[in-house]
């Protein structure tokens, strides 16, 4: 392999890392720090040098930074409602609340309807990821977190909404994002308080464990 061919090969490798980071950040949202890192990475990778050892050292150091950034990011982010519509002939506006209180008291057929409605919401969001979804698939076990947001300033027990995590995991298995949702594939599932905002929803983040 000639010197020029070798340099081109190294530059292509670095370009792939930049594209991978760009897709990952696009899928999960950008913080100011990540936006700066991405800009710097893309600008730096366009630099050229005649010193093959400098180029190889640069590629190696940038790959470490990219891998570190990717590891700190969730591999998938979803925004899901805390209730889903399950209309009937008598109650067109009927909703199923995704919390433990409702899970214990509601009929089983309402639960099944709610799972179907919720699954469609997840499918739409996965479809919006497009090809990125293949890049962000888990490499092993995952950690899933649900951050609960409410529009009314009332006392709220975030753990009461653990049903949301269950519904999300079931949907991700259905659509082949996860192989299964048992302990072999899910390391942890947690809920936490997000704050008071203009609507009720849960922000779901999934990480490689």
């Amino acid at each position: 392999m000639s010197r020029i061919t070798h340099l081109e090969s190294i530059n292509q490798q670095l370009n792939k890392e930049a594209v991978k980071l760009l897709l990952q950040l696009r899928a999960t949202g950008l913080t100011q720090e990540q936006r700066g890192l991405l800009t710097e990475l893309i600008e730096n990778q366009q630099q050229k040098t005649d010193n093959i050892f400098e180029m190889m050292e640069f590629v190696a150091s940038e790959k470490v930074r990219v891998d570190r950034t990717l590891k700190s990011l969730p591999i998938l982010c979803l925004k899901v409602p805390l209730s889903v519509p399950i209309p009937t002939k008598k109650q067109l506006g009927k909703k199923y609340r995704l919390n433990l209180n409702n899970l214990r008291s509601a009929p089983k057929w309402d639960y099944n309807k709610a799972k179907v409605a919720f699954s469609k919401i997840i499918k739409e969001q996965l479809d919006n990821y497009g090809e990125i979804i293949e890049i962000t698939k888990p490499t092993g076990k995952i950690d899933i977190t649900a951050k609960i947001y409410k529009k009314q300033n009332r006392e709220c027990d975030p753990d009461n909404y653990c049903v949301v995590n269950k519904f999300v995991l079931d949907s991700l298995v259905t659509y082949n994002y996860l192989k299964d949702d048992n302990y072999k594939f899910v390391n942890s599932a947690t809920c936490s308080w997000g704050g008071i905002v203009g609507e009720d929803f849960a922000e779901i983040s999934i990480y490689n464990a």
Side-chain angles (χ1 to χ4, degrees):
M1 181 182 293
S2 69
R3 184 187 183 90
I4 295 179
T5 303
H6 197 175
L7 282 171
E8 289 176 347
S9 174
I10 293 172
N11 198 50
Q12 287 175 3
Q13 178 188 352
L14 183 55
N15 186 57
K16 288 179 181 178
E17 295 298 329
V19 171
K20 182 180 178 182
L21 179 61
L22 175 61
L23 290 174
Q24 182 75 54
L25 294 179
R26 226 177 74 194
T28 56
L30 291 168
T31 66
Q32 193 64 34
E33 181 181 356
Q34 291 159 356
R35 195 176 281 115
L37 171 61
L38 178 61
T39 301
E40 181 183 350
L41 176 62
I42 292 176
E43 289 176 350
N44 285 346
Q45 77 90 18
Q46 294 172 345
Q47 295 178 0
K48 297 184 181 295
T49 176
D50 291 331
N51 189 318
I52 191 169
F53 298 106
E54 285 183 4
M55 176 65 83
M56 291 175 67
E57 183 178 354
F58 174 71
V59 171
S61 64
E62 289 302 295
K63 188 175 188 312
V64 169
R65 293 212 305 159
V66 169
D67 289 344
R68 188 184 301 121
T69 301
L70 292 179
K71 190 173 182 179
S72 69
L73 291 172
I75 58 174
L76 183 66
C77 287
L78 303 167
K79 180 182 177 181
V80 300
L82 299 181
S83 65
V84 291
I86 51 170
T88 64
K89 291 182 179 180
K90 294 183 178 180
Q91 294 178 280
L92 294 178
K94 186 176 182 180
K95 291 187 176 182
Y96 187 96
R97 299 185 306 279
L98 300 173
N99 59 51
L100 290 179
N101 295 333
N102 195 52
L103 182 66
R104 286 190 288 261
S105 60
K108 184 177 181 180
W109 51 84
D110 281 357
Y111 176 85
N112 293 334
K113 286 182 181 179
K115 282 194 68 172
V116 172
F118 190 91
S119 182
K120 290 179 180 178
I121 294 171
I122 298 300
K123 178 64 163 59
E124 182 179 349
Q125 294 193 41
L126 292 179
D127 287 345
N128 287 338
Y129 271 85
E131 294 181 359
I132 300 176
I133 207 68
E134 291 300 321
I135 295 175
T136 62
K137 278 190 174 180
T139 56
K141 287 187 177 184
I142 66 161
D143 293 316
I144 178 172
T145 66
K147 190 170 287 188
I148 307 301
Y149 293 88
K150 302 283 284 185
K151 63 181 178 182
Q152 294 183 344
N153 190 11
R154 295 178 179 175
E155 289 187 2
C156 172
D157 177 5
D159 287 339
N160 197 33
Y161 292 92
C162 62
V163 180
V164 173
N165 278 336
K166 174 59 179 170
F167 273 36
V168 169
L169 289 171
D170 286 345
S171 298
L172 293 179
V173 172
T174 297
Y175 298 118
N176 299 315
Y177 186 79
L178 293 178
K179 291 184 179 179
D180 208 332
D181 60 351
N182 59 39
Y183 72 92
K184 293 182 179 179
F185 301 95
V186 180
N187 180 62
S188 69
T190 59
C191 293
S192 63
W193 176 242
I196 306 297
V197 293
E199 59 180 317
D200 295 343
F201 69 94
E203 180 184 80
I204 306 295
S205 299
I206 295 175
Y207 299 84
N208 280 316

